[in-house]
Amino acid sequence: VTVSLRPARAAGAIGVRAFALVFDVGGTSIRAGLVDLAENTLVERLARGSGVVRRRPGVRWNAFVQTLRELGRTLRPHGEPAAIVVGFPGPVTSDGVALAAPTLWPAAPVEPFPLRAALEELWPSAVVDVVNDVTAAGFAYLDARRRSFCIVTVSSGIGHKVFLDGVPAVGSHGCGGELGHVVVDTTSNAPVCDCGGRGHLGAVASGRGTLRAAQARARTARAAFAASGLGRATDGEPARITNALLARSFRAGDAWTMNVVRPGAARLGWALSMVQSVVGIEDFLVVGGFATSLGERYLQEIAAGAERASWQSPLLWTRRLELGALGDDAGLIGAARHASMLVAER
Ligand SMILES: [Zn+2]
């Protein structure tokens, strides 16, 4: 099933044909899309800031479900959808129970919630599925040639999913694919992860983790920092370092910036080499805002770390790694493809 992206046209144009509603939930925004199932086309989409979920009074999960309902109504005020697919930023069990939602409600632990059941109640005639957001993005990259691969996202955090012959391998509890929360630094002063754990890969190598490392290094050796490309771009002020400036200096080959990015990239490479050793995956798609902004040179740093951790296999790591081309659209496109598959199987 291929889903194409079309420039938005009137949702009414799909008339009485079967349609699906798909959602890609993130910490910053919730994207929603309307899928024409006859044409496998995402015909309409909109986004709303995720803050609306946090500002709503009442029970957190209720507020979230009501937000999806409103977005669905806005996209398609009349008619019942044939399918609903939600890409959710947290672990989701095989029966659609969301186990955690740190991206949606930072620093506010929530009870596990039967999200799929709640949406089935809202849209009783639809086939409903809730999957992890990285899984949803993975569906977008799945094709006849790419059936077994690992998608790894590097943005404010790190996550990954392994697809084996087209099926995401996450286990019945949905806990597979959480490379970002593996401990890679056991020292007592290792950085703390957003989940609260210490020394997790996500704390060391994510966009947020790398920014923290850059600011710490800049503060301990200010003169060296001030003389660097990134130092000049920030008037030698560590607090002025942003991920955007860091990415620009990295792409320009600034040695100071590359030295800051390298350790995290190498740890990520080490982790990917473990994935390759365990399941034999040879195809790694690197996605996420931080990775995309650093570009191809970042892949070379990851590859170098993976090479050092691997046995001398005939496949070069630089050929195994690829930047995802779909950008922020991957989650919605993947959810749309999954919706089409669910309806076809029904
Ligand atoms: Zn963690």
Side-chain angles (χ1 to χ4, degrees):
V1 181
T2 20
V3 169
S4 55
L5 261 181
R6 287 251 177 104
R9 58 174 175 168
I14 71 172
V16 293
R17 283 148 73 169
F19 71 97
L21 289 172
V22 294
F23 301 92
D24 179 30
V25 182
T28 315
S29 66
I30 299 174
R31 294 154 198 265
L34 181 69
V35 185
D36 179 339
L37 290 167
E39 287 193 21
N40 282 323
T41 303
L42 197 56
V43 287
E44 199 74 49
R45 51 189 173 150
L46 59 91
R48 183 164 299 173
S50 310
V52 65
V53 174
R54 291 188 278 273
R55 282 192 304 273
R56 275 194 127 114
V59 185
R60 289 198 180 97
W61 283 114
N62 261 350
F64 176 64
V65 169
Q66 288 314 312
T67 303
L68 297 192
R69 178 170 178 261
E70 281 173 14
L71 285 167
R73 283 238 171 123
T74 309
L75 274 173
R76 181 74 171 179
H78 310 292
E80 284 296 307
I84 304 283
V85 170
V86 178
F88 188 79
V92 182
T93 66
S94 56
D95 49 1
V97 175
L99 296 177
T103 316
L104 217 44
W105 297 288
V110 290
E111 293 289 306
F113 180 74
L115 185 53
R116 192 169 85 192
L119 298 175
E120 280 168 346
E121 217 166 279
L122 218 52
W123 285 289
S125 57
V127 50
V128 180
D129 203 10
V130 180
V131 297
N132 173 268
D133 57 346
V134 184
T135 304
F139 282 125
Y141 290 100
L142 196 62
D143 61 31
R145 287 169 301 114
R146 178 170 269 147
R147 304 280 301 160
S148 297
F149 64 99
C150 173
I151 179 169
V152 55
T153 174
V154 190
S155 53
S156 52
I158 289 180
H160 88 287
K161 289 289 174 281
V162 166
F163 280 72
L164 296 174
D165 200 22
V167 180
V170 295
S172 58
H173 293 87
C175 296
E178 296 293 337
L179 211 49
H181 302 291
V182 167
V183 177
V184 296
D185 183 348
T186 54
T187 57
S188 60
N189 62 346
V192 175
C193 185
D194 287 341
C195 75
R198 194 178 279 279
H200 292 185
L201 181 65
V204 173
S206 67
R208 205 172 279 165
T210 306
L211 178 62
R212 265 194 311 250
Q215 289 170 334
R217 185 185 286 225
R219 285 193 188 98
T220 39
R222 286 192 90 118
F225 169 63
S228 73
L230 185 57
R232 287 192 297 277
T234 55
D235 296 325
E237 191 47 66
R240 284 199 197 158
I241 304 174
T242 61
N243 275 123
L245 290 173
L246 193 134
R248 197 189 302 163
S249 292
F250 181 85
R251 287 196 309 270
D254 176 44
W256 189 93
T257 307
M258 293 182 79
N259 284 335
V260 161
V261 171
R262 190 165 292 131
R267 288 284 171 83
L268 177 57
W270 169 84
L272 296 186
S273 83
M274 294 301 124
V275 173
Q276 192 273 326
S277 300
V278 173
V279 288
I281 292 289
E282 296 181 348
D283 184 1
F284 291 81
L285 264 171
V286 184
V287 301
F290 185 66
T292 309
S293 67
L294 294 183
E296 290 293 332
R297 208 186 275 250
Y298 179 57
L299 296 192
Q300 290 167 20
E301 296 292 342
I302 299 172
E307 293 284 356
R308 280 197 298 279
S310 304
W311 66 290
Q312 266 195 323
S313 64
L315 260 179
L316 290 172
W317 269 95
T318 43
R319 296 215 196 113
R320 291 177 175 162
L321 298 167
E322 186 183 320
L323 281 175
L326 296 173
D328 286 346
D329 286 329
L332 216 50
I333 295 173
R337 294 186 65 175
H338 188 51
S340 294
M341 286 187 276
L342 289 175
V343 171
E345 284 166 8
R346 203 181 198 183

